Amino acid sequence: MQRSNAGDVTYDDPWYDALASGWGESAAAVAPPPARSEPEAAPSAAADIYVEVQRSAAFQEVRRRYRRFVVPGAVAFLLWYVAYVVTATTVPALMARPVAGAVNVGMVAGLGQFLTTFLLTWAYARHARLRRDRAALELRWDTQELTRGRGGAS
């Protein structure tokens, strides 16, 4: 960071592309906002709050519920995908067996991959809504209240 003559802070960013971000605007319109100056004690207080929340029983329960759904779901989906690929490469005659007209076992299994993806996404969203979202939202509010109370981020 550099200080300009006016006293505000400007950012010295080598990746900043004035032409791409400005689109013909004046330099004042595309200048980055000045950096906020906060007391040095605030980040450590906020970090302590987040560590405290992470160690809480409520946070551990939210993480446990997340893992109980995601790990088996991911393992099952990856096994199903690997089984599809291995079967397609090792037993092409099975995958070429016709099911109905021009549709064969390989096409049905491939479409099953898409169907499984959509079903797993739906199940994940439902599980999150019913089992985790409320507890996670309460944790977020509690964390924000603790942060405000200890003089952290405002």
Side-chain angles (χ1 to χ4, degrees):
M1 286 192 280
Q2 299 174 342
R3 290 218 174 259
S4 68
N5 292 340
D8 57 340
V9 177
T10 59
Y11 296 99
D12 185 23
D13 185 4
W15 300 105
Y16 180 74
D17 186 1
L19 291 177
S21 63
W23 291 95
E25 298 171 3
S26 66
V30 295
R36 287 178 43 184
S37 60
E38 293 186 18
E40 291 299 321
S44 64
D48 292 340
I49 290 170
Y50 287 107
V51 168
E52 180 181 328
V53 169
Q54 184 179 9
R55 292 180 181 155
S56 71
F59 182 83
Q60 295 303 322
E61 181 61 26
V62 170
R63 294 297 296 167
R64 193 175 305 115
R65 289 178 184 177
Y66 172 77
R67 281 189 224 108
R68 271 192 302 212
F69 181 85
V70 168
V71 171
V75 168
F77 185 78
L78 287 174
L79 287 175
W80 161 229
Y81 175 73
V82 168
Y84 171 73
V85 172
V86 168
T87 304
T89 57
T90 59
V91 193
L94 172 68
M95 297 299 258
R97 182 176 293 160
V99 174
V103 177
N104 60 23
V105 173
M107 294 172 100
V108 171
L111 291 173
Q113 291 285 319
F114 286 103
L115 179 64
T116 305
T117 302
F118 293 124
L119 287 174
L120 190 59
T121 302
W122 170 81
Y124 175 81
R126 183 175 186 275
H127 180 268
R129 181 174 33 91
L130 296 176
R131 308 274 165 101
R132 293 191 326 265
D133 285 352
R134 185 169 308 227
L137 185 61
E138 289 173 8
L139 275 171
R140 181 189 307 170
W141 284 111
D142 292 345
T143 304
Q144 289 177 354
E145 289 299 318
L146 285 171
T147 305
R148 284 189 202 106
R150 292 192 191 171
S154 54

